[in-house]
Amino acid sequence: MKTQHIIEAVEAVQAAILANESQIESLDRAIGDGDHFINVRRGCEVLMGLRGEIAPLPPGEAFGKIGMKLLSTIGGASGPLISSFFIAMGKSLAGIAEPDRVQFAAAFAVGVEAIKSRGKADLGEKTMLDVLIPVSRLLQRLAEQGAPLPALCGQLAAEAHRNMLATRDMTATKGRASFLGERAIGHIDPGSKTCEVAIAAVCDTLKEPA
């Protein structure tokens, strides 16, 4: 992985987030704080403006800079969580000029663990982790198996989609949705939808012949 891939992913994620604006906003209005999309969009805009600064950096430093920038610009509950993800990834990849898939998968897992620790949440609590944890586990397994990139990306996108849909039947135990109790059942978690959209967008940018 090169930093140029990170920049291409940022561009793809911003386009995908904007394309799914109405759906993410409606999900957040149903069970969230109502400002989730605004914060995510702001984060994407900030990262688009950061492309020139991270371009000459190795991936680890680029992720670290992304995390610190998001920490100072994204509000709401998701800001510190997303920032901790990128900061942890950056530390995991420090000193690696061009991480391979196994190293990237390991760093992704470290980032997900940082979200778990910061948010004190885990699987089954109707949060973004219900997408990120299974995707991380699958990514590590496929990377270690040496799966061809198109197959790896296709399976990750499908895993993200399946687990995003599964949040519909969960009772929320974290965040604002937890105050709704069983009334949150029947609604997809907005954070999990955002993660699914972002993962699918990144996977699309990485597909290439095996």
Side-chain angles (χ1 to χ4, degrees):
M1 180 186 66
K2 300 178 181 178
T3 299
Q4 181 58 33
H5 296 138
I6 299 174
I7 293 172
E8 291 170 0
V10 166
E11 294 169 345
V13 169
Q14 189 208 33
I17 291 294
L18 292 176
N20 286 271
E21 175 178 359
S22 61
Q23 185 176 9
I24 295 172
E25 277 196 315
S26 65
L27 293 174
D28 193 40
R29 283 195 300 270
I31 62 171
D33 295 323
D35 62 353
H36 173 72
F37 180 81
I38 294 172
N39 289 325
V40 170
R41 181 175 59 193
R42 181 184 297 123
C44 289
E45 291 169 352
V46 166
L47 295 189
M48 290 290 283
L50 201 63
R51 288 173 295 174
E53 292 183 44
I54 67 172
L57 303 177
E61 290 183 31
F63 280 127
K65 193 172 189 67
I66 285 172
M68 293 304 296
K69 188 69 173 180
L70 292 178
L71 185 61
S72 64
T73 54
I74 299 185
S78 59
L81 299 176
I82 296 173
S83 335
S84 65
F85 171 79
F86 286 112
I87 291 171
M89 281 192 71
K91 290 179 180 178
S92 179
L93 295 173
I96 304 175
E98 192 172 329
D100 60 25
R101 293 178 202 171
V102 173
Q103 291 168 327
F104 175 79
F108 190 92
V110 169
V112 172
E113 284 297 320
I115 293 178
K116 287 176 62 177
S117 177
R118 187 71 179 260
K120 296 178 173 57
D122 210 327
L123 274 174
E125 298 190 278
K126 205 180 183 86
T127 72
M128 67 175 76
L129 287 170
D130 289 302
V131 166
L132 293 177
I133 291 175
V135 165
S136 176
R137 291 173 178 171
L138 179 59
L139 173 59
Q140 285 187 290
R141 185 165 71 251
L142 293 176
E144 290 167 359
Q145 292 172 351
L149 192 55
L152 182 148
C153 289
Q155 290 186 54
L156 291 181
E159 183 77 351
H161 184 73
R162 183 176 68 81
N163 285 281
M164 174 271 294
L165 293 178
T167 65
R168 180 186 286 120
D169 300 321
M170 295 178 184
T171 300
T173 57
K174 298 293 179 182
R176 182 181 179 277
S178 64
F179 295 105
L180 298 176
E182 293 188 355
R183 286 178 294 165
I185 296 176
H187 298 281
I188 290 170
D189 174 66
S192 70
K193 176 60 182 178
T194 298
C195 288
E196 183 261 344
V197 167
I199 289 167
V202 172
C203 286
D204 282 343
T205 70
L206 295 176
K207 286 180 181 177
E208 60 185 30

